[in-house]
Amino acid sequence: MKKAEIKLNVTLDETNVPESIQWTSSDGQSAEELPAKAMFLALWDAQYKNTLRIDLWTKDMPYDEMKRFFYETLQTMADSFIRASGGDPMAEKVIADLRDYCAHYADKMEILEQQN
């Protein structure tokens, strides 16, 4: 059985606000820590049937990048749910609604215009 390790290091200021986030993965191409400005981590607690979450972003994370981060996270959550649903037709309908919302969010936050 193969195992992999993901390691996160967060440096906090005196008020516990993240100054930097560094991460490594044992499956990665490099052993060096890589920087990140934000992260969402969600774990399912099967015993209590709820989600455990950690949402962090560094104090120098630009607002425009945060908007894009939310947009891309919503899109990838839709991708993950489609894979996890195994082709459930109801899931595909709900994901279509989520993708419509993502397009609406991107329009309102002017995300796609910034990309061009």
Side-chain angles (χ1 to χ4, degrees), residues 57-68:
W57 54 93
T58 59
K59 56 174 103 179
D60 65 340
M61 174 79 167
Y63 179 59
D64 285 345
E65 289 181 23
M66 181 60 84
K67 293 187 302 185
R68 179 69 185 231

Side-chain angles (χ1 to χ4, degrees), residues 44-103:
W44 179 250
D45 183 331
Q47 179 181 358
Y48 293 104
K49 306 285 189 247
N50 65 5
T51 303
L52 308 170
R53 300 176 340 154
I54 300 173
D55 305 335
L56 295 176
W57 54 93
T58 59
K59 56 174 103 179
D60 65 340
M61 174 79 167
Y63 179 59
D64 285 345
E65 289 181 23
M66 181 60 84
K67 293 187 302 185
R68 179 69 185 231
F69 181 52
F70 271 80
Y71 169 75
E72 289 187 11
T73 299
L74 289 170
Q75 290 281 29
T76 57
M77 287 175 65
D79 297 340
S80 296
F81 192 69
I82 284 292
R83 284 193 313 272
S85 72
D88 176 13
M90 182 56 73
E92 291 186 20
K93 289 178 186 176
V94 171
I95 292 306
D97 290 342
L98 178 55
R99 292 207 190 280
D100 287 345
Y101 173 74
C102 288

Side-chain angles (χ1 to χ4, degrees), residues 24-25 28-33:
T24 56
S25 169
Q29 295 177 354
S30 171
E32 76 179 73
E33 290 187 332

Side-chain angles (χ1 to χ4, degrees), residues 16-30:
N16 292 327
V17 174
E19 287 188 340
S20 69
I21 300 169
Q22 304 283 325
W23 70 279
T24 56
S25 169
S26 61
D27 276 353
Q29 295 177 354
S30 171

